Amino acid sequence: MKKGRTLLLGLLAVLVLPFGISLAEDPPGEKTKEKYTWRTAPRHSSGVAPDPVALKNQAVIMVMAANTFGWRGYFAVHPWVIFKRAGETSYSRYDVVGWGGGNVVRKNYALPDGLWFGSKPQVLVDQRGEAAAQLIPQIEAAIQSYPFPSTYRSYPGPNSNTFVAHIGREVPDLDLDMPANAIGKDYRRITNPVGMSSSGQGFQANLLGVFGFSVGLEEGIELNLLGLNVGIDFNRPALRLPSIGRLGMDNVAQPRPDAGAKTAEASGAQVMQ
């Protein structure tokens, strides 16, 4: 009985402590973003994506994720994918947005690397050249086969993380490793509780995104409890934790030295036309 209580307390500490760390790093009341509303939050280019004109002759794929707006940003991220083929001078962006009704899969809803209501995106995938060119048709097919195009629930899913995780499963060569605080990435239909993990390179068993586990080369070992994920990444050693994503070696791809000039707002505007 005592061992069981100790185990339970330890698990609760692992789930709750990262939230405390997140609050300590960005205390409420001191966040510049708290001055914004949905309407006034900045969404200009972050400069994370390379200039598509400078890389006209190169195919590019990037997956990005940024903290969600407001208090949800302490718990979860919003991801999206952008890509362009060789010869193109603008990106196509795809993400899931819950408001507005209709099909929740949106094309060019925002600038390719725009701030997500004040939050700067981090890069989860950065592939270029011939490898990217071969993956783009697979990504487009995965977008079309997304099983929840008219359904959105912020918790436990399906949501924007469910969408990008679906792309990762369908395109394993993308080498996508979604962070532990991508709530919704593990969402699965009750009739389909077992299958590939969000990287497409591991195994997952999960009930509606609220209870289960994942094991894979990219994910390491990860336990999902009530939608909160905790685990260990052996590929690049780190703890996978709720709220903060990971603690240890960075597993987020950084823009390459050949990125060229940062994405101009004018270039992003071309995409929105």
Side-chain angles (χ1 to χ4, degrees), residues 112-131:
D113 65 348
L115 299 180
W116 184 248
F117 295 96
S119 292
K120 183 177 180 179
Q122 289 185 311
V123 180
L124 305 182
V125 170
D126 183 355
Q127 294 207 26
R128 307 184 189 183
E130 185 58 32

Side-chain angles (χ1 to χ4, degrees), residues 123-124 177-178 218 233 235-236 238 240 246 248-254:
V123 180
L124 305 182
D177 183 5
M178 298 194 72
E218 289 292 341
D233 187 344
N235 187 31
R236 292 182 62 82
R240 302 175 67 88
R246 65 188 290 118
M249 293 187 67
D250 190 11
N251 198 37
V252 176
Q254 299 298 324

Side-chain angles (χ1 to χ4, degrees), residues 51-61 82-92 127-137 140:
D51 184 353
V53 176
L55 297 183
K56 177 182 177 181
N57 297 322
Q58 191 175 60
V60 179
I61 299 170
I82 68 171
F83 57 81
K84 76 171 199 70
R85 290 178 167 84
E88 296 178 340
T89 57
S90 62
Y91 292 106
S92 294
Q127 294 207 26
R128 307 184 189 183
E130 185 58 32
Q134 294 179 6
L135 295 180
I136 288 175
E140 291 177 319

